[in-house]
Amino acid sequence: MKKNSVLIKPIEDKAFVWFKNSNQYSIFDPFLADIIEHIDQDTPLEIVTQHIQNETGLSVEKVHEVIDELTQLITTTLPVDDHSQSTFEIPEATFYKTYYYTINNATFCFHYGSEYVMNEIHLKFAHLVTKKVKEPNHTITILESDNTFSLQVDEIFNNNYTEDNFHYLQGKLSMYIMMLAYKKPEREWLGVFHASAISYNGKSAMLLGDSGNGKSTALAIAHANGFNCIADDFVPMGSALQNIYPFPAAISVKEKSLPVLANYYPDIMEKPSFKNRLGKTVTFIPTDSHITITYPCHNLIFIKYKAGSNLQVAPITKTDAFQQLVPDSWLSPEPENAEIFLNWFNTVKTYQLTYSKTEDLLATLKDILDGNH
Amino acid sequence: MKTNSNENQELMTRKEALKKMGKFGKYAAVTALGTYIMLSPKKSQAQSPTEPGEGFKAPLLFPPEK
């Protein structure tokens, strides 16, 4: 009986494989991927063994080891871990502050339990504040007690997070904002990418790279120079059309970026900011990314600011790009979405961009979006 | 099919190791037929940690052996 526990997509000279039971991806030599497909399709073991022996000359024992290992990859299940804990209760708290926001025509009421959670979340959405309404469409409560944080979304989600996992609370909150504002359940989202997203003349690109490489700073510079800001840090993609959706949060930039950004935002020092628990100041630049246009995205640009460097821009292989993209993304575990994701990834262009001068950055982004690279 | 208890123990250990490795974003593994790369997406949506530069780097476990 066929198990259909793997998807295999040939990309470049490799086989990109998705394992349904663990929602993991892998890159294999096509020969190994072919063996995986046979194991998944329950081809008799002796036929698989003979095939591998004929092709490689390995001993039966070695071949069985390989088959065991590949079988484990297919069958291993990984539990979904959303980094929350629902086993202990946070006592009811008086709300520190309540704000109402309009996102895609829906009104959200946010109750904040402390100044810290208000600063961490409200300042990103302060530009969307609206007046109090009697019956908001959705109510979200974020409380803090003894370095534990709880997130409650309407009557549908209520979990706690440790301080170390606060960014998962923020991620879950952001996902619920998108699901509720666009009335799309989680299975209708292909993934969420840890990137910044821009558009220019109707074409879009995601800027990716390790934290600290300057994604948000590049986004803010591009936004001040005629590019449209689609999203900062959290880029959701719908599964139906593989369009990226605007995430309405302000751009968050670090203290060290302020001098360069002051060239483009003369009032940057007056923008909302707060000092986090590590004593670092984060400043928020509101954008118009709450305008609800979605964009097809066929450019992935791995970006790096390197002081004093010359401009370097070149295509990179899909194999390289995939290795950087997947571990930093949430990708839907639904089989149909995994297939759409692999098909979409096969269509994108992938680049590495290293720069030090902002004019180089802007010219290169325009070139890529105009199709001149 | 392995039936020896020591080998079962070994299988359990390898399975547990696989589960543990699922928590990391990326690792390379080796079979007698060559290396391959395993990539784990995040199991839940996340934003950048408060202090950017921390928390998103995926360690490379078990680099390919020569």
Side-chain angles (χ1 to χ4, degrees):
Chain A
M1 196 173 87
K2 292 181 178 181
K3 294 174 190 163
N4 294 320
S5 295
V6 298
L7 285 172
I8 300 176
K9 177 87 184 165
I11 297 180
E12 294 172 340
D13 60 344
K14 300 279 196 299
F16 287 37
V17 181
W18 177 70
F19 296 95
K20 178 179 165 188
N21 290 323
S22 60
N23 190 24
Q24 285 184 310
Y25 289 82
S26 187
I27 301 173
F28 284 93
D29 174 85
F31 177 66
L32 272 177
D34 185 49
I35 294 166
I36 287 173
E37 187 162 27
H38 278 296
I39 295 170
D40 183 52
Q41 301 295 316
D42 267 356
T43 302
L45 184 63
E46 55 274 18
I47 294 178
V48 180
T49 305
Q50 191 64 55
H51 172 60
I52 298 174
Q53 280 197 290
N54 290 346
E55 294 293 324
T56 65
L58 285 178
S59 66
V60 174
E61 290 73 25
K62 282 281 180 197
V63 170
H64 284 177
E65 263 180 36
V66 171
I67 292 174
D68 274 355
E69 188 148 329
L70 297 179
T71 303
Q72 276 197 48
L73 290 179
I74 297 169
T75 55
T76 296
T77 55
L78 288 176
V80 172
D81 179 6
D82 71 358
H83 303 274
S84 67
Q85 310 166 15
S86 50
T87 50
F88 50 90
E89 295 288 321
I90 287 185
E92 282 293 324
T94 313
F95 302 136
Y96 176 79
K97 198 94 178 175
T98 295
Y99 281 106
Y100 294 79
Y101 310 93
T102 303
I103 303 173
N104 198 25
N105 296 322
T107 308
F108 287 76
C109 169
F110 275 52
H111 297 301
Y112 296 110
S114 71
E115 184 179 9
Y116 176 73
V117 293
M118 186 194 76
N119 282 335
E120 281 276 8
I121 294 162
H122 166 68
L123 292 181
K124 286 181 187 171
F125 300 109
H127 55 295
L128 303 175
V129 163
T130 189
K131 61 186 179 202
K132 180 178 178 178
V133 295
K134 262 190 181 171
E135 291 182 7
N137 300 97
H138 304 288
T139 300
I140 290 171
T141 306
I142 307 122
L143 302 176
E144 176 182 1
S145 175
D146 294 332
N147 293 329
T148 299
F149 301 88
S150 73
L151 170 65
Q152 183 172 354
V153 181
D154 291 336
E155 301 299 319
I156 53 177
F157 185 84
N158 186 1
N159 270 351
N160 298 333
Y161 295 80
T162 62
E163 188 177 16
D164 286 347
N165 286 329
F166 191 75
H167 55 294
Y168 286 105
L169 181 155
Q170 290 178 303
K172 190 56 84 177
L173 168 63
S174 301
M175 195 65 212
Y176 270 107
I177 289 174
M178 295 303 292
M179 290 194 282
L180 297 173
Y182 287 91
K183 298 186 172 58
K184 284 163 81 74
E186 193 170 274
R187 67 176 179 277
E188 291 182 27
W189 298 93
L190 199 64
V192 175
F193 300 101
H194 179 219
S196 297
I198 55 168
S199 72
Y200 190 77
N201 285 343
K203 305 268 181 64
S204 74
M206 279 193 247
L207 311 180
L208 300 119
D210 287 342
S211 293
N213 278 8
K215 297 186 293 291
S216 296
T217 306
L219 171 66
I221 292 169
H223 181 55
N225 285 277
F227 289 78
N228 176 40
C229 164
I230 304 173
D232 175 38
D233 195 50
F234 188 91
V235 183
M237 178 177 280
S239 56
L241 299 172
Q242 302 94 63
N243 278 8
I244 50 178
Y245 279 64
F247 183 66
I251 304 171
S252 337
V253 291
K254 289 174 270 183
E255 215 164 356
K256 69 178 186 187
S257 300
L258 296 184
V260 67
L261 290 176
N263 295 319
Y264 304 98
Y265 299 90
D267 61 344
I268 191 125
M269 303 312 284
E270 285 130 48
K271 298 227 181 262
S273 67
F274 86 106
K275 202 171 270 196
N276 67 27
R277 291 186 175 186
L278 298 167
K280 308 277 185 186
T281 300
V282 184
T283 299
F284 298 92
I285 303 173
T287 71
D288 52 5
S289 59
H290 51 289
I291 294 171
T292 52
I293 301 170
T294 66
Y295 299 83
C297 182
H298 297 289
N299 296 291
L300 303 183
I301 307 171
F302 292 87
I303 196 168
K304 187 173 177 61
Y305 169 81
K306 193 174 172 190
S309 68
N310 291 324
L311 174 69
Q312 296 168 44
V313 54
I316 56 169
T317 64
K318 296 272 174 66
T319 304
D320 275 353
F322 200 70
Q323 290 181 57
Q324 295 182 66
L325 180 71
V326 169
D328 228 8
S329 309
W330 171 78
L331 296 170
S332 170
E334 304 290 334
E336 58 273 26
N337 286 340
E339 185 164 13
I340 295 169
F341 169 68
L342 284 173
N343 289 337
W344 166 79
F345 183 78
N346 196 28
T347 68
V348 299
K349 292 180 177 172
T350 50
Y351 303 92
Q352 177 77 51
L353 164 62
T354 305
Y355 77 99
S356 62
K357 296 178 185 156
T358 55
E359 57 268 30
D360 287 343
L361 168 72
L362 295 167
T364 306
L365 293 178
K366 279 182 189 172
D367 274 355
I368 289 175
L369 289 177
D370 282 342
N372 294 335
H373 259 285
Chain B
M1 182 65 74
K2 298 189 175 186
T3 51
N4 177 297
S5 63
N6 284 340
E7 287 177 330
N8 276 341
Q9 182 64 43
E10 184 200 342
L11 267 180
M12 289 278 289
T13 309
R14 284 163 68 192
K15 194 163 187 177
E16 283 305 307
L18 269 175
K19 283 189 178 180
K20 272 189 172 178
M21 287 188 285
K23 293 180 180 175
F24 296 97
K26 174 178 170 181
Y27 69 91
V30 185
T31 73
L33 293 180
T35 60
Y36 58 89
I37 298 154
M38 291 299 293
L39 302 164
S40 293
K42 295 191 171 301
K43 299 295 171 202
S44 181
Q45 302 86 7
Q47 299 234 218
S48 287
T50 302
E51 167 56 355
E54 297 294 329
F56 269 91
K57 276 209 159 180
L60 179 63
L61 294 181
F62 310 119
E65 289 167 11
K66 297 286 178 191

